[in-house]
Amino acid sequence: MTTMRKISQLVGVSTATVSRALKNPEMVLPETREKVLKAVETLGYRPNILAKNFSSGKTQTVVVIVTDLTNPFFSRIVQGVEEEAQKLGYSVLLGDTNDDINRERVYAEMVLNNKADGLIQLDHLFPFEDKDKEIAKTVPMVSVCDAIDGDYEYPYITIDNFAASRDVAKHLISLGHTKIGAIAGKDDSLVTSDRLGGLQRVLQEHNIPFNDDWFMRGGYTKQCGKESMEALLSMGEYPTAVYCFSDEIAIGAIKAIKDAGLRIPQDISIVGFDNIDICEYIDPPLTTVDQPAVEMGQRAMQILYQLINGDAIQHITEFKPYTLLVRDSTGLAPK
Amino acid sequence: MTTMRKISQLVGVSTATVSRALKNPEMVLPETREKVLKAVETLGYRPNILAKNFSSGKTQTVVVIVTDLTNPFFSRIVQGVEEEAQKLGYSVLLGDTNDDINRERVYAEMVLNNKADGLIQLDHLFPFEDKDKEIAKTVPMVSVCDAIDGDYEYPYITIDNFAASRDVAKHLISLGHTKIGAIAGKDDSLVTSDRLGGLQRVLQEHNIPFNDDWFMRGGYTKQCGKESMEALLSMGEYPTAVYCFSDEIAIGAIKAIKDAGLRIPQDISIVGFDNIDICEYIDPPLTTVDQPAVEMGQRAMQILYQLINGDAIQHITEFKPYTLLVRDSTGLAPK
DNA sequence: TTGTAAGCGTTATCAT
DNA sequence: ATGATAACGCTTACAA
């Protein structure tokens, strides 16, 4: 391996000068710099990042925790994180947890033992062990999409889920729907309660009762969406519109409806959430709420960068713009 | 920060003993070990991985290069890689390239400057710069799905694409199709030529001509699938069956066919490749070739582990089992 | 502008 | 079984 030592010997300067020539060229005579660069070239020197990181105490790496990388909404956020990370000189360690809290902890711990400098959390769980609660308060962490459960101060990048849900509800009501169901993802997260709250508020404003039996919970998956919809259809009376808290859920729900021989939107209207790529391709194209996934990921990384580099952690919640995209999966309520 | 030094002072032993007590308990007296562990507990000591890695010269980290993380087939492979990596004590650095060769190089270089110990490549490109060609031959690298272009010796995990394509072709022919088109992903990779070759061979065996105009190329995306299918439909005569080299392509093709007012499979049969989750949920459910994505990722990581830990690189190609899954997107050829 | 040397926290070698 | 110490490659005061 070619080290700075070798370069310095070849050129006849000290390692300090080599280091400066490479990192702070202006601190060194142009001709010295030239000689160093030439030696670097001929010897094929590469800085040993391991040593550099050790010396500086920084890893220039962040961890991103995600429950399911195959969900395109999450993977787009991760793409945004990574794109921005690269710009800022950071690498991204992947933390796919498959909803396993133990794996969350493994990844979170990386920040505590200097495997990474910061953490981006896409899940709503506090990823550290109880015993690390205190120290965790000082670690640079940002959450995206969903807020971290409990009374913590981490910055949070999201959209206004309450308002988005209001828009969804108004849209459905404008089509004449009064029998509205919903299928949620995570059971008890802020996102879920915001979205449910927005829906309920609008129903209330229109004096439309909310039927608790029509509020299903599961995970953000097609499978859960299908099962929940099947359960709804098996009830004596079922809703004419179902608001799914993710597009994946909606895709599962659509499958269940078609399998039951019903039509969308003539018999049942479906709304999704996230606006993943496939929404435009499915049949019928899905009405959904667009979240700027890439931008959210980028922004999370920017804020994390600030935290890592000295800014104090403060609980800001940053809202990104969302858009209700009306496509063909919603239509007039059946008579 | 709590260091070994502090532990050793508290216990009254040397740092070497602390190190041994933690890593090689059998080299230390049980009572010494006890005291050390207790001090570790009370001081809340955590090993500094940065220092450990620097000292050992290993990062316990691998990079996985992927062109598009939002493609569920790729993200499942990455999940497999990560699951296995965690078992083996490794972390995974994400290298989403968005098809940008410069980003591939950034990620590949991480192995050269000690940011990672090895590399898993899902793309078909040789990710290193020309000037690093020689040194690259010694770096632990494994490719999955697609082989690396050129005359290299890296291990390669895949399925038998030629045979799988033969199965697809036979299936279509058994349904009476003679006008068969295809939409490929990457232009000139081994996977593409294997799949095309398998198709052509079977057609030849059945004395069915292959129409070059019906062989489209683009990327593994829905968008490309849609555009290619639109182009096919705009031809005077178009195929009655189209073999798409990925499910994403197939989803785009299906959209184009429906938009044109045609039915699947009555007017045109569609076959996909990969068997991503959504295949069962789309309308009609997609006939496709299942690739064991998670297993392929796991296996790639296992082999990479062996390379990193001393096994010599040898050009093995390991084939995983595939399955043709016949669903409803393929049917009898129209009269 | 450049050199010297300490320091980062762990592991490993060689004594004891 | 344990201690002393060197070593890993780079950065950075501090000196010259």
Side-chain angles (χ1 to χ4, degrees):
Chain A
M1 177 166 208
T2 310
T3 66
M4 273 192 173
R5 182 81 256 169
K6 295 215 186 95
I7 301 289
S8 74
Q9 288 166 343
L10 182 63
V11 178
V13 296
S14 71
T15 58
T17 301
V18 175
S19 176
R20 287 189 278 250
L22 295 174
K23 258 196 60 169
N24 307 88
E26 72 283 0
M27 293 178 67
V28 116
L29 278 182
E31 65 179 84
T32 312
R33 179 171 150 70
E34 279 312 308
K35 284 190 286 186
V36 169
L37 291 184
K38 207 171 128 229
V40 162
E41 183 70 24
T42 57
L43 290 187
Y45 166 79
R46 291 172 199 288
N48 181 334
I49 295 198
L50 226 39
K52 178 198 178 96
N53 290 348
F54 172 59
S55 176
S56 68
K58 296 289 186 184
T59 61
Q60 299 295 115
T61 300
V62 301
V63 181
V64 51
I65 295 182
V66 54
T67 54
D68 178 14
L69 197 63
T70 63
N71 183 324
F73 175 59
F74 293 140
S75 52
R76 291 210 77 207
I77 293 175
V78 174
Q79 284 183 328
V81 169
E82 194 184 1
E83 189 182 323
E84 194 66 24
Q86 199 169 46
K87 277 190 200 155
L88 297 169
Y90 281 74
S91 311
V92 177
L93 274 171
L94 189 57
D96 189 314
T97 65
N98 194 22
D99 270 317
D100 180 347
I101 180 67
N102 292 315
R103 294 185 69 173
E104 297 229 6
R105 288 180 176 158
V106 169
Y107 297 121
E109 193 161 20
M110 290 178 172
V111 186
L112 300 179
N113 53 23
N114 292 288
K115 178 99 198 189
D117 301 335
L119 188 57
I120 291 177
Q121 169 66 303
L122 272 64
D123 196 10
H124 64 113
L125 296 175
F126 180 71
F128 295 93
E129 294 185 49
D130 265 4
K131 71 178 175 59
D132 298 327
K133 225 165 192 166
E134 279 312 309
I135 178 97
K137 287 182 180 164
T138 68
V139 325
M141 175 158 75
V142 175
S143 57
V144 203
C145 311
D146 215 334
I148 290 174
D149 297 340
D151 194 19
Y152 298 102
E153 304 275 291
Y154 305 102
Y156 172 34
I157 316 294
T158 183
I159 65 164
D160 187 337
N161 284 286
F162 190 89
S165 263
R166 287 182 56 96
D167 289 356
V168 169
K170 286 181 199 163
H171 168 62
L172 292 174
I173 289 172
S174 77
L175 291 168
H177 291 279
T178 55
K179 294 155 66 175
I180 299 175
I183 306 177
K186 294 292 163 81
D187 213 18
D188 48 2
S189 73
L190 183 61
V191 160
T192 298
S193 61
D194 278 356
R195 291 186 191 167
L196 180 60
L199 171 64
Q200 288 176 322
R201 174 73 63 87
V202 172
L203 290 178
Q204 198 177 5
E205 288 167 2
H206 288 75
N207 290 311
I208 297 172
F210 177 74
N211 185 342
D212 263 323
D213 293 341
W214 290 344
F215 180 57
M216 314 296 289
R217 302 133 189 275
Y220 288 117
T221 64
K222 294 183 279 289
Q223 176 76 21
C224 287
K226 180 158 174 278
E227 289 168 3
S228 295
M229 193 69 226
E230 284 166 352
L232 283 172
L233 292 175
S234 73
M235 296 178 178
E237 184 178 28
Y238 53 78
T240 62
V242 177
Y243 170 25
C244 304
F245 286 12
S246 86
D247 294 332
E248 295 272 312
I249 292 173
I251 288 167
I254 287 173
K255 170 73 172 167
I257 292 169
K258 286 185 175 181
D259 282 354
L262 298 171
R263 295 159 307 160
I264 303 161
Q266 293 86 344
D267 297 311
I268 300 182
S269 286
I270 291 289
V271 180
F273 212 105
D274 297 342
N275 191 31
I276 57 180
D277 281 353
I278 207 164
C279 289
E280 294 187 86
Y281 289 85
I282 61 178
D283 182 13
L286 187 65
T287 294
T288 192
V289 176
D290 176 73
Q291 295 199 67
V294 171
E295 189 187 343
M296 288 163 76
Q298 290 172 331
R299 192 65 189 130
M301 182 63 219
Q302 285 168 6
I303 293 182
L304 184 61
Y305 177 82
Q306 292 173 3
L307 293 184
I308 289 172
N309 295 286
D311 290 15
I313 292 179
Q314 42 185 314
H315 186 45
I316 56 158
T317 298
E318 192 170 305
F319 294 102
K320 291 292 161 198
Y322 67 89
T323 318
L324 173 63
L325 298 175
V326 177
R327 296 201 182 97
D328 304 337
S329 67
T330 46
L332 290 174
K335 308 277 156 51
Chain B
M1 175 165 210
T2 311
T3 66
M4 273 192 173
R5 181 81 257 170
K6 295 215 186 96
I7 301 288
S8 75
Q9 288 166 343
L10 183 63
V11 179
V13 294
S14 72
T15 58
T17 299
V18 175
S19 177
R20 286 189 279 251
L22 294 175
K23 259 196 60 168
N24 307 88
E26 72 283 359
M27 294 178 65
V28 116
L29 277 182
E31 66 179 84
T32 313
R33 178 170 150 71
E34 279 312 308
K35 283 189 286 187
V36 169
L37 290 184
K38 206 171 129 229
V40 163
E41 184 70 23
T42 56
L43 290 185
Y45 166 80
R46 290 172 199 288
N48 181 334
I49 295 198
L50 226 39
K52 180 195 177 94
N53 289 348
F54 172 59
S55 178
S56 68
K58 296 288 185 183
T59 61
Q60 299 295 116
T61 300
V62 300
V63 181
V64 51
I65 296 182
V66 54
T67 55
D68 178 14
L69 197 63
T70 62
N71 183 323
F73 175 59
F74 293 140
S75 52
R76 291 210 76 208
I77 293 175
V78 174
Q79 284 183 329
V81 169
E82 195 184 1
E83 190 183 322
E84 193 66 24
Q86 199 169 46
K87 277 189 199 155
L88 296 170
Y90 281 74
S91 310
V92 177
L93 274 171
L94 189 57
D96 189 313
T97 64
N98 193 25
D99 270 315
D100 179 348
I101 181 66
N102 292 315
R103 294 185 70 174
E104 297 228 6
R105 289 180 175 157
V106 169
Y107 297 121
E109 192 161 20
M110 290 178 173
V111 186
L112 299 179
N113 54 24
N114 292 288
K115 178 100 195 186
D117 300 336
L119 188 57
I120 291 177
Q121 168 67 303
L122 273 65
D123 195 11
H124 65 113
L125 296 174
F126 179 72
F128 295 93
E129 293 186 48
D130 265 2
K131 71 176 174 62
D132 297 328
K133 224 166 193 165
E134 279 312 308
I135 177 95
K137 287 182 180 164
T138 69
V139 325
M141 175 159 75
V142 175
S143 55
V144 203
C145 311
D146 215 334
I148 291 174
D149 297 340
D151 193 20
Y152 298 102
E153 304 276 291
Y154 304 102
Y156 172 34
I157 316 295
T158 183
I159 64 163
D160 187 338
N161 284 286
F162 190 89
S165 264
R166 287 183 55 96
D167 289 355
V168 169
K170 286 181 199 164
H171 168 63
L172 291 174
I173 289 172
S174 76
L175 291 168
H177 291 279
T178 54
K179 295 156 66 177
I180 299 175
I183 306 177
K186 294 292 163 80
D187 213 18
D188 49 3
S189 73
L190 182 61
V191 159
T192 298
S193 61
D194 277 357
R195 290 185 192 168
L196 179 60
L199 171 63
Q200 288 176 321
R201 173 73 62 85
V202 171
L203 290 178
Q204 199 178 3
E205 287 167 3
H206 289 74
N207 291 311
I208 298 172
F210 178 74
N211 185 342
D212 263 323
D213 293 342
W214 290 344
F215 179 58
M216 314 296 290
R217 303 132 189 277
Y220 289 117
T221 65
K222 295 184 278 289
Q223 176 76 20
C224 287
K226 180 159 174 278
E227 289 167 4
S228 294
M229 193 68 226
E230 284 166 353
L232 283 173
L233 292 176
S234 73
M235 296 178 179
E237 185 179 29
Y238 52 77
T240 62
V242 177
Y243 170 24
C244 304
F245 286 11
S246 86
D247 293 333
E248 295 272 313
I249 292 173
I251 288 167
I254 287 173
K255 171 73 172 167
I257 293 169
K258 286 185 175 180
D259 283 354
L262 298 171
R263 296 159 305 160
I264 302 162
Q266 293 86 345
D267 297 311
I268 299 182
S269 285
I270 292 289
V271 179
F273 212 104
D274 297 343
N275 190 30
I276 58 179
D277 280 354
I278 208 165
C279 289
E280 294 188 85
Y281 288 85
I282 61 179
D283 182 12
L286 187 63
T287 294
T288 193
V289 176
D290 176 73
Q291 295 198 66
V294 172
E295 190 187 342
M296 288 164 76
Q298 290 172 331
R299 191 66 189 130
M301 183 63 219
Q302 286 168 5
I303 293 183
L304 184 61
Y305 177 82
Q306 292 172 2
L307 293 184
I308 290 172
N309 295 287
D311 289 16
I313 293 179
Q314 44 185 314
H315 185 45
I316 56 159
T317 298
E318 191 170 306
F319 294 103
K320 291 293 161 198
Y322 67 89
T323 317
L324 173 64
L325 298 174
V326 176
R327 296 201 182 97
D328 303 335
S329 67
T330 45
L332 291 174
K335 308 276 155 53

